[in-house]
Amino acid sequence: MKTAAEVLRSKAHAYVYSVDREDSLLDGLRVLAEKGVGALVVLSGGRLVGIVSERDYVRKVALAERSLLNTKISEIMTSNVISVGPRDSVQYCMELMTERRLRHLPVLAEGELIGLLSIGDLVKETIAEQADLIRQLEQYIRGEIP
């Protein structure tokens, strides 16, 4: 099974979009829309301090029927960020995301952000691994692999 780092290396678009904790919510929403992503990491002084997603906006702003577009990102972001290391397995990442109901998972190496995994990244990798295993088993059954 692959590691988080291996999945990050295989991503076609591995760029991690971010906002500063002092940016406005409107600025963050613009980045989400322009880049077509569902979450942004929140940085302060180059360090990961949170994550903000479409889900945060819907739950904390839109459903409250109030306009906080000029509010700082730091007021609605998730600051208790759950992350993984580059050597953590895809299976561990999937289990963590399922248990915690997460859609995005920052990958940190020695405290530094090296990438962001989405549930889609992990599902894609899991499907590819299962397809490869099925192919190998079929070859074994046909006697093509000793």
Side-chain angles (χ1 to χ4, degrees), residues 30-135:
R30 282 187 180 130
V31 175
L32 286 171
E34 288 171 5
K35 304 303 180 186
V37 295
L40 303 168
V41 294
V42 182
L43 304 175
S44 180
R47 304 285 296 175
L48 177 69
V49 295
I51 191 164
V52 65
S53 67
E54 295 165 329
R55 185 188 282 183
D56 291 319
Y57 174 73
V58 169
R59 290 183 176 171
K60 297 175 184 171
V61 179
L63 292 178
E65 296 180 10
R66 55 187 173 158
S67 178
L68 296 175
L69 294 180
N70 292 319
T71 299
K72 291 180 183 179
I73 290 284
S74 60
E75 294 182 44
I76 72 152
M77 72 181 189
T78 299
S79 56
N80 186 17
V81 180
I82 296 168
S83 63
V84 294
R87 293 185 177 144
D88 287 324
S89 71
V90 167
Q91 180 178 345
Y92 172 75
C93 294
M94 289 274 294
E95 289 170 1
L96 185 60
M97 292 177 91
T98 301
E99 288 171 11
R100 298 296 188 97
R101 302 181 67 107
L102 305 172
R103 294 182 185 170
H104 302 90
L105 197 55
V107 182
L108 303 177
E110 298 179 21
E112 295 293 321
L113 179 69
I114 63 167
L116 185 67
L117 293 174
S118 71
I119 192 70
D121 297 331
L122 299 178
V123 167
K124 180 180 175 183
E125 182 58 39
T126 300
I127 290 170
E129 285 182 3
Q130 289 176 348
D132 188 50
L133 178 60
I134 290 169
R135 183 185 51 75

